[in-house]
Amino acid sequence: MSLLKVDKINKSFGTLQVLHDVSLEVEPGERHVIIGPNGAGKTTLFNSITNHLPITSGTVHFEGKDITNLPAHRLVHLGMSRTFQKNNLFGDLTVEENIHLALAARKKYRHDIWYSLTSRSDIKKETNEILEEWKITHRRDVKINNLSYGEQRLLEVLLAMASKPKLLLLDEPTSGMSPAETTQTSEMIQRLPRSMALVVIEHDMDVVFAIADRITVLHHGEPILTGAPEEVRNSDMVKEIYFGGGAKKHA
Ligand SMILES: Nc1ncnc2c1ncn2[C@@H]1O[C@H](COP(=O)(O)OP(=O)(O)OP(=O)(O)O)[C@@H](O)[C@H]1O
Ligand SMILES: [Mg+2]
């Protein structure tokens, strides 16, 4: 059974149809990358899967359960987590405080008042583990607004992972990053445990081919090809549509 099964999703904004019969299956532990030109509907596909936007028609199943109309916040508890194309962090709080909040949300402590979170030893311990594992202990007391853009994006991925999801959706994790930050993020993604399946929207082809088991190419809201990286790399149709025939780097 697929971990995620998207079946014939259609999504329109008024008269603009953005997704056309999009179907997609993701297996447990799979690294599935979605590529496609700007405006192809990639973010809209994520918003449809996680129900941040109501779809026009189609279904979404997670571990066999119909989640088509499930509110977005319920998905975390089922084991699905995501990041957004724009940062979703608390800018006035520190790195450590943001991690506390992400862990608290997973443990359903969110109704507790703030000071009680920081006194919970399980949250403290796990926060320290995350800080150490990802080598950001020295940044723990820095406010988000004082982190570099790349650091913020990395932290967002770490926080989405903190809920230990079975499926993590990453929307352009490397966008706006320096080459060094992009490499760091790509390596981090490759280090993620296989207990977690990934669907990653990505434009950087080095990152795409470094992480993908399978790639889906979205073009004008239609999945024109899903296949192994080599298949996508060698597809004349993809070269023409996505790379404009001019991108030789990976061709
Ligand atoms: N909330 C919205 N209301 C109206 N139109 C929208 C909305 N969200 C997206 N669109 C339109 O849907 C189309 C697909 O947008 P989407 O953001 O999904 O593309 P994308 O593939 O993620 O692009 P990018 O690579 O630039 O992030 C675009 O034409 C966009 O203008
Ligand atoms: Mg997008």
Side-chain angles (χ1 to χ4, degrees), residues 13 16 18 36-45 53 85 171-172 203:
F13 295 108
L16 176 70
V18 174
N38 294 117
K42 303 178 300 294
T43 297
T44 303
L45 176 59
L53 287 173
Q85 203 164 343
D171 193 349
E172 297 196 33
H203 280 296

Side-chain angles (χ1 to χ4, degrees), residues 3-4 6 24-27 29-35 42 45-46 49 80-83 166-173 189 192 196-202 211 214 216:
L3 182 65
L4 178 74
V6 173
L24 181 77
E25 290 195 33
V26 180
E27 303 304 319
E30 182 183 346
R31 275 73 174 107
H32 200 114
V33 179
I34 296 174
I35 64 173
K42 303 178 300 294
L45 176 59
F46 270 19
I49 292 170
M80 190 193 297
S81 186
R82 72 171 288 186
T83 61
K166 293 173 198 155
L167 178 66
L168 180 58
L169 308 176
L170 303 176
D171 193 349
E172 297 196 33
I189 292 171
L192 295 178
M196 203 184 288
L198 302 175
V199 182
V200 184
I201 296 171
E202 184 55 61
I211 65 179
R214 282 200 301 163
T216 289

Side-chain angles (χ1 to χ4, degrees), residues 170-221:
L170 303 176
D171 193 349
E172 297 196 33
T174 69
S175 77
M177 286 187 171
S178 68
E181 288 167 342
T182 298
T183 303
Q184 192 190 358
T185 304
S186 174
E187 285 169 5
M188 184 189 101
I189 292 171
Q190 291 170 66
R191 272 177 59 203
L192 295 178
R194 283 277 170 173
S195 53
M196 203 184 288
L198 302 175
V199 182
V200 184
I201 296 171
E202 184 55 61
H203 280 296
D204 184 311
M205 286 300 135
D206 287 325
V207 179
V208 170
F209 287 107
I211 65 179
D213 295 328
R214 282 200 301 163
I215 298 172
T216 289
V217 185
L218 205 62
H219 183 55
H220 292 320

